[in-house]
């Protein structure tokens, strides 16, 4: 599955632009979740700019691939890719978290391109399962993608859904797990250990693909592998760095859910040039 | 007097709907035999999904499926549908205004011998506080069919509350209209407002009262959300007080809904017959109704305390 260097380079540049928007939006809003938005940025950029079959001007196009953001707090990332893909004007990004804005602090259906609201953790894999089963009933070829946070997989609902996805063999579903190893209160291995994480998904009956979640070539190859795999749902476990791309945000729990100051914003944007 | 299991009617009505509309899909959580969704499953196996003992996944999956244009009926016991999966119902089903019909069976203490863990007496309260959510509590078998058909025609989330035992069929009811109380008996002295299994008890009480010279108006408040404000206000204005009867906690359910309308519009005395700061327990349905003061005699007594 070769991907040419230009495709890789373009996506990397796009991801950098998305990261800049994430920092700017959250800085303007004065609150939000930069850490997990930045760690997932490469995997989600690749998805929206290379993988998904959708129509930005026709968000409800029936045969579209579905994307659901289970870890809803990372909506700055979703809003940035949706705006960049043309679902709505880019200037709307700077209304994030304001009263009456189409961009809520956690996603809801008032944003073009958002399929289902999220924010209460642990429910997104179930939502994706429902979409996958509906696609199968309707004999449609669309695929369903769902982005999970690692901390989120501590919710019981995730494992109920993991069991059901395997039971119903939804191979039109691909979960993406942003494994940055940090949650609000600290390292996942200390707060509530997830390991052996890949083994757990495998034991639940999934096709597990482990990658470096910041390596664009590996990301694209993983999506291809998932698409080609039949008979089981696939999960791409991307090892990532929380706050990736901004030195002082990297591996910092502090930036799970706080906005950068003015000075921090200037520095972050300088680093993301 | 005929009597029917509401859940039998539910299962048959699902089949009826399934034949008419290929977008009707049914979910259950390992209780399809008890809820009678098994009847649908037999006819339309490809449109029936068993989620096992996992109600939270079932509710959130229903939202995902509804987002793709399906009309999803989700069933399990009321205690699990309302309590176990409340967050999923609030944040994912109802906030998204999904076309999901939660048809919860085995509600209230008339579940019987299984005891408190399986007796939902808080479910109406839990559902009533959720924006967008509609709530119907049918009083008997035929009304169960009417309720299921009515909710299938309205896009959006519904909670339909059914019981476990056979419910006596209430004869000569006016036409069922979602959101409109049914006046089962005219009267100017007092109003009895009831839902579910308590509607039959209310009618028996009204007959007892009539023999003692008291004309009780009886309202079947099958739709709890949105409540029929006009019917409640008329009752407050035209009769000397209201007795509300429900097989549910006295907090948060039908009585609270009536109280809110009365207090804001035309304050009168409202007595609440329900389960008062207690859990349920094992017992036969009729014995439990007696133990929790939910019989026609209890209603009669409550009426006397207002009318004297």
């Amino acid at each position: 599955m070769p991907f040419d260097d230009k495709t890789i380079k373009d996506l990397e540049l796009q991801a950098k632009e998305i990261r800049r928007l994430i920092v700017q939006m959250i800085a303007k809003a004065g609150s939000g979740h930069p850490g997990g938005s930045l760690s997932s940025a490469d995997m989600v950029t690749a998805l929206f700019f290379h993988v998904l079959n959708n129509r930005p001007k026709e968000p409800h196009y029936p045969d579209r691939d579905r994307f659901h953001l289970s870890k809803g707090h990372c909506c700055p990332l979703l809003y940035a890719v949706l705006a960049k893909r043309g679902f709505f004007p880019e200037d709307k990004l700077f209304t994030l978290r304001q009263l009456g804005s189409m961009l809520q602090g956690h996603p809801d259906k008032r944003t073009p391109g958002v399929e289902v609201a999220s924010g209460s953790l642990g429910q997104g894999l179930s939502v994706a399962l429902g979409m996958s089963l509906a696609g199968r009933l309707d004999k449609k070829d669309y695929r369903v993608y769902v982005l999970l946070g690692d901390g989120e997989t501590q919710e019981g609902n995730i494992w109920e859904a993991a069991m059901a996805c395997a039971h119903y063999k939804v191979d039109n579903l691909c979960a993406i797990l942003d494994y940055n190893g940090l949650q609000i209160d600290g390292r996942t291995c200390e707060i509530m250990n997830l390991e052996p994480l890949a083994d757990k998904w495998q034991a639940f009956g999934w096709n597990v693909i482990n990658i470096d979640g910041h390596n664009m070539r590996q990301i694209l190859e993983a999506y291809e592998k998932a698409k080609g795999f039949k008979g089981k749902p696939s999960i791409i476990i991307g090892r990532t760095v929380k706050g990736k791309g901004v030195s002082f945000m990297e591996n910092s729990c502090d930036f799970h859910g706080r906005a950068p100051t003015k000075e921090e914003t200037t520095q972050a944007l300088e680093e993301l040039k | 007097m005929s009597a029917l299991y509401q859940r039998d009617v539910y299962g048959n009505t699902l089949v009826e709907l399934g034949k008419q509309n290929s977008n009707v899909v049914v979910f259950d959580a390992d209780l399809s035999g008890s809820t009678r969704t098994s009847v649908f499953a037999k006819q339309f196996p490809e449109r029936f999904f068993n989620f096992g003992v996992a109600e939270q996944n079932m509710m959130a999956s229903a939202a995902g499926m509804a987002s793709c244009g399906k009309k999803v009926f989700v069933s399990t016991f009321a205690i699990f549908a309302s309590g176990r999966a409340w967050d999923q119902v609030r944040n994912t089903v109802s906030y998204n205004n999904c076309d999901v019909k939660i048809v919860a069976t085995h509600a209230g203490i008339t579940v019987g011998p299984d005891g408190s863990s399986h007796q939902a007496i808080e479910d109406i309260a839990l559902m009533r506080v959720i924006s967008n959510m509609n709530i119907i509590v049918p009083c008997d078998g035929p009304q169960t069919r009417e309720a299921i058909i009515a909710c299938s025609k309205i896009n959006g989330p519904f909670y339909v509350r059914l019981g476990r035992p056979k419910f006596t069929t209430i004869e000569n009811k006016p036409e069922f209209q979602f959101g409109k109380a049914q006046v089962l008996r005219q009267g100017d002295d007092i109003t009895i407002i009831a839902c579910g299994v308590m509607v039959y008890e209310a009618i028996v009480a009204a007959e007892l009262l009539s023999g003692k010279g008291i004309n009780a108006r009886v309202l079947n408040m099958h739709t709890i959300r949105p409540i029929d404000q006009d019917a409640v206000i008329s009752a407050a204005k035209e009769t000397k007080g209201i007795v509300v009867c429900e097989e549910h906690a006295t907090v948060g359910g039908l009585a609270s809904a009536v109280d809110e309308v009365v207090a804001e519009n035309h304050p009168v005395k409202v007595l609440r017959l329900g389960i008062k700061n207690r859990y349920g327990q094992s017992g036969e349905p009729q014995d439990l109704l007696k133990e929790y003061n939910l019989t026609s005699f209890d209603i009669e007594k409550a009426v006397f305390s207002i009318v004297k």
Side-chain angles (χ1 to χ4, degrees):
Chain A
M1 288 168 278
F3 292 96
D4 64 75
D5 293 346
K6 186 174 179 307
T7 304
I8 303 286
K9 189 81 202 148
D10 287 351
L11 285 170
E12 283 170 352
L13 285 173
Q14 192 61 256
K16 193 172 266 189
E17 177 59 23
I18 296 295
R19 285 194 161 89
R20 288 175 62 80
L21 285 172
I22 289 169
V23 170
Q24 288 170 305
M25 284 164 76
I26 297 175
K28 170 85 189 345
S31 68
H33 297 80
S37 298
L38 293 170
S39 64
S40 319
D42 297 303
M43 295 189 287
V44 173
T45 299
L47 195 60
F48 272 82
F49 290 84
H50 193 82
V51 179
L52 287 184
N53 169 33
N54 57 21
R55 294 179 183 173
K57 297 292 168 220
E58 205 186 332
H60 299 293
Y61 163 60
D63 292 340
R64 69 192 181 281
D65 287 338
R66 268 72 171 173
F67 173 76
H68 181 59
L69 182 69
S70 185
K71 55 165 186 166
H73 56 283
C74 296
C75 56
L77 166 60
L78 175 60
Y79 297 157
V81 291
L82 287 173
K84 275 281 169 196
R85 285 285 286 113
F87 281 82
F88 54 85
E90 228 174 292
D91 58 5
K92 292 277 184 213
L93 292 177
F94 300 99
T95 66
L96 172 68
R97 290 183 165 240
Q98 286 174 13
L99 184 67
S101 169
M102 64 143 77
L103 302 183
Q104 293 290 294
H106 289 80
D108 79 5
K109 279 170 50 175
R110 74 190 81 185
T111 308
V114 169
E115 304 276 355
V116 172
S118 59
S120 183
L121 294 176
Q123 303 179 27
L125 188 56
S126 304
V127 170
L129 169 61
M131 292 171 169
S132 299
L133 292 172
R136 185 185 285 176
L137 273 178
D138 289 337
K139 301 192 169 43
K140 299 259 188 202
D141 290 329
Y142 66 73
R143 291 181 58 75
V144 182
Y145 295 87
V146 54
L147 179 67
L148 308 174
D150 51 0
E152 177 183 27
T153 64
Q154 290 160 356
E155 290 280 5
N157 190 162
I158 288 286
W159 299 101
E160 292 182 3
M163 209 183 308
C165 289
H167 177 82
Y168 283 112
K169 301 183 174 67
V170 281
D171 52 16
N172 56 348
L173 183 152
C174 176
I176 305 142
L177 201 155
D178 180 37
Y179 197 3
N180 60 38
L182 293 177
Q183 54 193 114
I184 301 180
D185 270 359
R187 286 147 53 96
T188 51
C189 60
E190 288 164 5
I191 303 302
M192 183 49 64
N193 191 20
L194 304 169
E195 286 297 335
L197 189 59
D199 290 352
K200 286 187 175 115
W201 287 93
Q202 205 138 22
F204 270 72
W206 285 62
N207 171 41
V208 181
I209 304 166
N210 288 292
I211 59 163
D212 169 351
H214 298 308
N215 182 314
M216 201 50 85
R217 195 174 294 277
Q218 286 188 26
I219 294 170
L220 292 180
E221 284 172 1
Y223 286 131
E224 281 292 315
K225 276 187 205 158
K227 201 172 176 176
F229 196 91
K230 298 296 168 209
K232 284 182 183 183
S234 288
I235 183 165
I236 298 168
I237 300 180
R239 270 284 180 180
T240 61
V241 174
K242 193 145 180 159
K244 175 74 176 176
V246 179
S247 60
F248 58 91
M249 289 187 183
E250 287 192 0
N251 284 312
S252 156
C253 284
D254 181 32
F255 280 99
H256 172 89
R258 99 159 159 88
T261 63
K262 208 172 162 195
E263 293 71 34
E264 286 168 342
T265 306
T266 310
Q267 191 190 331
L269 294 176
E270 189 60 36
E271 290 182 19
L272 289 169
K273 265 186 183 160
Chain B
M1 254 182 322
S2 68
L4 293 167
Y5 288 110
Q6 290 184 311
R7 49 209 174 104
D8 277 346
V9 176
Y10 169 50
N12 295 334
T13 310
L14 279 179
V15 171
E16 212 180 303
L17 289 177
K19 282 179 187 159
Q20 291 161 9
N21 185 349
S22 62
N23 278 324
V24 168
V25 173
V26 178
F27 288 9
D28 206 308
D30 196 39
L31 289 169
S32 63
S34 303
T35 63
R36 305 292 197 263
T37 59
S38 55
V39 183
F40 180 92
K42 209 171 161 194
Q43 287 263 343
F44 305 102
E46 71 289 354
R47 282 193 266 148
F48 174 80
F49 297 91
N50 202 326
F51 281 80
V53 191
E55 297 80 10
Q56 300 179 2
N57 178 42
M58 176 169 72
M59 284 301 173
S61 295
M65 197 173 261
S67 80
C68 297
K70 299 292 169 196
K71 195 174 283 297
V72 193
F73 283 82
V74 180
S75 287
T76 179
F77 291 179
I79 192 84
F80 311 128
S82 62
R84 179 65 67 97
W86 191 86
D87 186 30
Q88 283 73 8
V89 173
R90 190 265 187 191
N91 279 309
T92 303
V93 170
S94 211
Y95 182 45
N96 287 299
N97 207 20
C98 288
D99 201 15
V100 172
K101 319 301 177 188
I102 302 165
V103 183
T105 66
H106 296 65
I109 52 169
T110 52
V111 169
D114 274 345
S116 178
S117 66
H118 285 54
Q119 295 167 346
I121 55 172
E122 308 88 353
D123 57 327
I124 299 174
L126 285 167
M127 291 296 120
R128 209 167 67 83
V129 290
I130 300 177
S131 297
N132 291 345
M133 185 59 78
N134 301 290
I135 305 173
I136 308 181
V137 183
C139 68
D140 63 9
Q143 189 148 88
T144 300
R145 179 176 176 275
E146 293 171 324
I148 298 301
I149 289 173
C151 77
S152 77
K153 289 181 179 161
I154 302 169
N155 193 58
F158 271 78
Y159 182 79
V160 183
R161 186 194 209 228
L162 307 182
R164 178 183 178 274
K166 277 185 176 170
F167 278 25
T168 305
T169 300
I170 311 291
E171 306 294 343
N172 305 319
K173 292 190 287 289
E175 189 198 350
F176 177 88
Q177 280 178 278
F178 172 66
K180 292 299 280 178
Q182 289 177 320
V183 184
L184 298 179
R185 202 182 163 107
Q186 293 288 357
D188 297 328
D189 293 328
I190 193 91
T191 304
I192 305 169
I193 302 181
C195 65
V197 73
M198 293 305 296
V199 172
Y200 175 70
E201 300 295 331
I203 288 172
V204 174
E207 276 162 18
L208 293 170
L209 286 161
S210 150
K212 291 167 186 169
I214 294 169
N215 285 322
R217 180 181 305 184
V218 177
L219 300 183
N220 172 21
M221 197 63 80
H222 48 71
T223 303
I224 309 241
R225 194 168 193 272
I227 192 138
D228 186 345
Q229 298 230 10
D230 294 344
V232 175
I233 294 169
S234 301
K237 285 183 176 164
E238 295 161 15
T239 67
K240 295 187 188 79
I242 299 173
V243 175
V244 187
C245 320
E246 61 190 318
E247 192 200 3
H248 184 274
T250 49
V251 182
L254 173 61
S256 293
V258 169
D259 282 349
E260 287 159 17
V261 177
V262 169
E264 284 181 356
N265 294 281
H266 192 88
V268 289
K269 179 94 170 168
V270 178
L271 281 182
R272 295 170 295 152
L273 256 64
I275 297 151
K276 293 183 168 71
N277 196 29
R278 284 175 81 185
Y279 283 93
Q281 58 180 305
S282 291
E284 289 307 316
Q286 278 309 318
D287 296 337
L288 285 161
L289 289 178
K290 269 188 209 129
E291 170 65 24
Y292 288 82
N293 303 113
L294 290 171
T295 66
S296 49
F297 298 109
D298 297 302
I299 300 172
E300 191 191 12
K301 226 160 74 183
V303 168
F304 272 123
S305 78
I306 299 179
V307 180
K308 303 219 172 70

